Structure formats: structure tokens, C-alpha cells
């Protein structure tokens, strides 16, 4: 049976120049490098320059993804930006990215699912491609979380950073079985009952302010490992594959202990998990495409391999995509 598959034809990423180490944060709040590394694995994060906005980060990542795909921006017919830290309340960051890339056709919109944003955006793009409504889609995760952190709250400010990552998804024909290249399965979930465990205490229609990130870390941690292992199980089952057949897991980079815990629960060896959290902390929707780009460029991920992307974030939202590279 002939089917349309969404194949990743290019990846790109961008981290702002300024690096803030744990030692730098020791000067701001009562914390230590030792505590942060032991509890999270994070050693440093990148912080956007004062005159940089989220779309600036997104555009650089997108240009790098286009270059690696060998596509011109004019060939893109849909842009989806996953972000919780948009340039403005409106227009969407995606339309700003569209303008900055010089694209005047097609459509562009944002997706808001916090740390799961990239999985939500990828799933949305895949559905547009499978429906025949788009051929080349730019899917971008871009965040400047440093602007919604309470820099006096040591329980949260040590955990996050800024960055952007992008992929180009291209429609290609497949046979309909799991030997096809491209996205083979994706699942997204949410459960709004847990919105009080991870949220921002401001908003346009509530306080009229941007607000600061608040989190009950221990509770989030417990839900994360359970939900992530379960949704990875779902996409494996959709494809009739077992966890031994996974070549790479590219998870949302929140905390090394969550990554290790999820791998253990799935019985996947830690060597198959791409980990970048030590270098850029939790960059929310940007973290998966940042890690993916690194593992593709350094040659770890190669054509034909089974790759799983997974994330969980505020809402709660969570999801996973299974691809054959
Ligand atoms: N430096 C030093 N001490 C700290 C710091 C800090 N930065 N932050 C908290 N502490 C203290 C607390 O005050 C507490 O002290 P007390 O015992 O005197 O009260 C002690 O350390 C332990 O605090 P806990 O919150 O119980 O520490 P825990 O082991 O749970 O680690 C952490 C906290 C790292 C936030 C952990 O719960 C976690 O990673 N949770 C997952 C949250 C997450 O990553 N969310 C990201 C978004 S969701 C997602 O992406 C999956």
C-alpha cells in the first residue's frame, strides 16, 4: 500500500553565546554546583542576549536545518513553532520566523504544550503531511526561559536555559510498513488536573503580566517517569516493535535522573539515550531538536535506525514519536 511518510530531511540548532555555569549561579542564590549536578546532571545553561528574542534563535536553527536539508526557504509551505516564551502575545512567533526567512506563502502558527511542545508540533506537522496539505514543513522548538524564571528562587532558576532547534519534515512515499523511513507513530496526551504542579503565575487574561515559572519538582518527577515510559510503550506497540529494537532515545532534556529512570523502566541501555542536559539545562520545547541535531551531526544517528523522541511538560502534557531515520 502506498502511503505518505514525513521524513526528517534536515536538522539545525542554535544556542546563545552567553554561558551561565553553576558556579555563576552560586553567586546569585544559595546553591552549589555539587547540589545541581547531583540532582539534575546540569553543569551550565545558555542565556539569550538582551536584544535577542525567541524568533531570532528560531531563525538561526531553521536556517541551519534548511541548509542540511538542501532546501531553499521558498520551498517551505508550513512553519510550526513550539514555544511557551513567544516574542509577543500576538502575532505568533511562527509568522515572525516566516517573515525573517523571507517566506510569503503557506501558513505559520505556534503550538503551546510547554516542554512537550516539539512532540505536539511534530505530530501536527506529520498529520498535515499525511493529509496532503503540506510538503515541506519547518518544525521548530525555541525558548527563552531565562525571561520567565524567578532568579531568586533556587528551586527553579538552576534548571532552565535558552535555545532553539529545528527539523525539516518532507513528504515522501512509503510502503506502509515499519521498514519505511520517517515518522511511523506518534502519540500525544494531556491531563489538565495537574496544571498546578508546573505553571507560570501570570498571563494576559489573568494578571496582565508575564509571570514566573513555579514548580513542585518532586511531584513532577514522579509523573514524568511513569508517563514517559508508558507513552514510549504505546508508540512501540503501534509499530509492533520491542524496546530492544530501539537504536536511540532522544528525550526532552529536563533532568538526568528522569532520563535514567525512564531508560531503566523501559529496559533500554543508558548508552542508547542522547543526553545534552549537562550543557544547556532544560530548554523546554527546544531541548529535543537540540539533542537530535547534535546526535545527527556527530554521526550517532544514521539512516535506517529506530529513533524515539519523548517529552513531558506543564499541563501536564506528554507524548512520543517513533521514527525510522
Ligand atoms: N540548591 C540547593 N538546595 C536546593 C536547591 C538548590 N538549587 N533547590 C532546592 N533545594 C533544597 C530544598 O530547599 C530542600 O531543602 P530542605 O530539605 O531543607 O527543605 C532540598 O534541597 C530537597 O528539595 P527537593 O525539592 O525535595 O529536591 P529533589 O531531590 O526533589 O530535587 C528537583 C529537586 C531537581 C527539582 C527534582 O525534583 C526534579 O528534577 N524534578 C523534576 C522537575 C523538572 O525537571 N521539571 C522540568 C519541567 S517538567 C519536565 O520537563 C519533565
Amino acid at each position: 500500500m502506498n502511503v505518505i511518510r514525513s521524513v526528517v530531511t534536515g536538522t539545525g540548532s542554535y544556542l546563545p553565546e552567553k554561558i551561565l555555569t553553576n558556579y555563576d549561579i552560586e553567586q546569585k542564590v544559595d546553591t552549589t554546583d555539587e547540589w545541581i549536578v547531583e540532582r539534575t546532571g546540569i553543569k551550565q545553561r545558555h542565556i539569550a542576549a538582551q536584544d535577542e528574542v525567541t524568533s531570532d534563535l528560531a531563525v538561526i536553527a531553521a536556517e541551519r536545518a534548511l541548509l542540511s536539508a538542501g532546501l531553499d526557504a521558498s520551498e517551505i509551505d508550513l512553519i510550526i513553532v513550539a514555544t511557551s516564551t513567544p516574542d509577543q502575545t500576538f502575532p505568533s512567533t511562527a509568522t515572525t520566523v516566516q517573515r525573517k526567512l523571507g517566506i510569503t506563502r503557506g501558513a505559520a502558527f505556534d503550538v503551546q504544550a510547554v516542554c512537550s511542545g516539539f512532540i505536539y508540533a511534530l505530530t501536527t506537522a506529520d498529520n498535515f503531511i499525511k493529509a496532503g496539505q503540506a510538503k515541506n514543513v519547518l518544525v521548530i522548538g525555541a525558548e527563552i526561559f531565562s525571561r520567565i524564571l524567578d532568579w531568586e528562587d533556587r528551586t527553579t532558576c538552576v534548571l532552565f536555559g535558552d535555545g532553539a532547534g529545528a527539523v525539516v519534515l518532507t513528504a515522501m512515499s512509503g510502503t506502509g510498513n515499519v521498514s519505511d523511513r520517517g515518522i511511523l507513530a506518534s502519540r500525544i496526551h494531556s491531563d489538565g488536573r495537574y496544571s498546578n504542579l508546573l505553571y507560570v503565575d501570570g498571563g494576559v487574561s489573568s494578571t496582565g503580566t508575564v509571570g514566573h515559572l513555579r514548580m513542585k519538582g518532586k511531584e513532577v518527577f514522579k509523573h514524568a517517569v511513569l508517563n514517559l515510559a508508558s507513552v514510549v510503550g504505546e508508540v512501540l506497540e503501534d509499530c509492533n516493535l520491542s524496546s530492544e529494537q530501539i537504536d536511540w532515545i532522544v528525550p526532552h532534556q529536563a533532568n538526568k535522573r528522569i532520563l535514567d529512570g525512564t531508560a531503566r523502566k523501559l529496559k533500554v541501555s543508558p548508552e542508547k539515550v542522547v543526553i545534552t542536559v549537562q550543557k544547556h539545562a532544560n530548554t523546554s520545547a527546544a531541548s529535543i531538536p537540540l539533542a537530535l541535531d547534535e546526535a545527527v551531526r556527530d554521526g550517532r544517528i544514521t539512516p535506517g535506525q529506530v529513533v524515539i523522541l519523548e517529552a513531558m511538560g506543564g499541563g501536564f502534557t506528554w507524548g512520543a514519536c517513533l521514527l525510522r531515520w
Side-chain angles (χ1 to χ4, degrees):
M1 186 182 55
N2 229 27
V3 297
I4 305 176
R5 295 289 192 194
S6 310
V7 177
V8 177
T9 50
T11 64
S13 61
Y14 170 72
L15 288 162
E17 207 175 304
K18 183 182 169 188
I19 291 174
L20 192 71
T21 66
N22 292 347
Y23 299 108
D24 296 327
I25 296 191
E26 282 181 5
Q27 312 305 313
K28 294 174 187 276
V29 289
D30 181 17
T31 191
T32 60
D33 170 65
E34 196 190 351
W35 191 96
I36 302 170
V37 172
E38 191 193 309
R39 303 284 175 126
T40 71
I42 297 165
K43 296 193 172 124
Q44 62 173 50
R45 67 287 293 139
H46 289 247
I47 303 291
Q50 228 152 30
D51 61 354
E52 265 180 326
V53 289
T54 299
S55 63
D56 294 329
L57 277 52
V59 164
I60 300 173
E63 284 170 342
R64 291 176 179 170
L66 284 167
L67 194 66
S68 81
L71 278 188
D72 189 75
S74 62
E75 294 172 90
I76 293 294
D77 40 28
L78 179 63
I79 301 172
I80 307 180
V81 174
T83 188
S84 301
T85 48
D87 293 11
Q88 293 160 273
T89 303
F90 78 79
S92 68
T93 300
T95 54
T96 306
V97 168
Q98 186 189 31
R99 170 175 58 78
K100 289 181 178 175
L101 289 173
I103 303 171
T104 52
R105 65 179 200 93
F109 59 86
D110 289 357
V111 159
Q112 218 285 34
V114 205
C115 299
S116 315
F118 189 75
I119 298 291
Y120 270 62
L122 210 56
T123 301
T124 307
D126 181 39
N127 285 334
F128 270 91
I129 286 177
K130 286 192 298 202
Q133 291 190 315
K135 194 169 181 313
N136 291 307
V137 186
L138 253 178
V139 183
I140 305 169
E143 304 278 17
I144 301 192
F145 256 53
S146 60
R147 306 231 168 106
I148 54 165
L149 295 177
D150 175 352
W151 284 100
E152 289 177 1
D153 175 10
R154 68 175 182 173
T155 69
T156 52
C157 76
V158 302
L159 302 174
F160 297 88
D162 305 335
V167 301
V168 175
L169 273 187
T170 299
M172 291 192 183
S173 67
T175 61
N177 67 45
V178 293
S179 60
D180 286 347
R181 288 189 68 204
I183 298 178
L184 300 177
S186 62
R187 293 277 191 131
I188 53 172
H189 295 283
S190 64
D191 189 341
R193 284 178 300 169
Y194 299 106
S195 57
N196 62 331
L197 298 182
L198 177 53
Y199 62 99
V200 166
D201 62 4
V204 181
S205 68
S206 52
T207 57
T209 63
V210 170
H212 291 117
L213 183 147
R214 306 293 174 203
M215 177 171 67
K216 298 202 172 80
K218 248 193 192 355
E219 321 281 327
V220 175
F221 194 103
K222 276 188 250 160
H223 285 275
V225 175
L226 288 176
N227 288 341
L228 290 170
S230 142
V231 76
V232 169
E234 285 174 32
V235 291
L236 283 170
E237 204 178 310
D238 288 343
C239 299
N240 219 3
L241 294 174
S242 68
S243 58
E244 295 92 74
Q245 289 167 288
I246 300 173
D247 291 300
W248 293 105
I249 296 188
V250 185
H252 164 51
Q253 311 282 321
N255 178 319
K256 187 166 182 305
R257 287 190 302 146
I258 295 181
L259 308 188
D260 293 343
T262 311
R264 242 190 335 267
K265 210 163 168 47
L266 290 166
K267 298 192 174 65
V268 169
S269 117
E271 289 81 57
K272 291 182 170 182
V273 183
V274 176
I275 298 183
T276 51
V277 68
Q278 71 282 3
K279 292 191 281 193
H280 55 67
N282 182 344
T283 56
S284 190
S287 85
I288 291 178
L290 270 162
L292 190 61
D293 188 42
E294 178 171 309
V296 169
R297 282 177 195 266
D298 69 19
R300 271 177 287 175
I301 296 180
T302 56
Q305 290 184 327
V306 172
V307 179
I308 288 192
L309 317 179
E310 43 94 330
M312 142 127 185
F316 286 147
T317 55
W318 65 102
C321 288
L322 189 155
L323 305 91
R324 186 173 296 283
W325 204 256

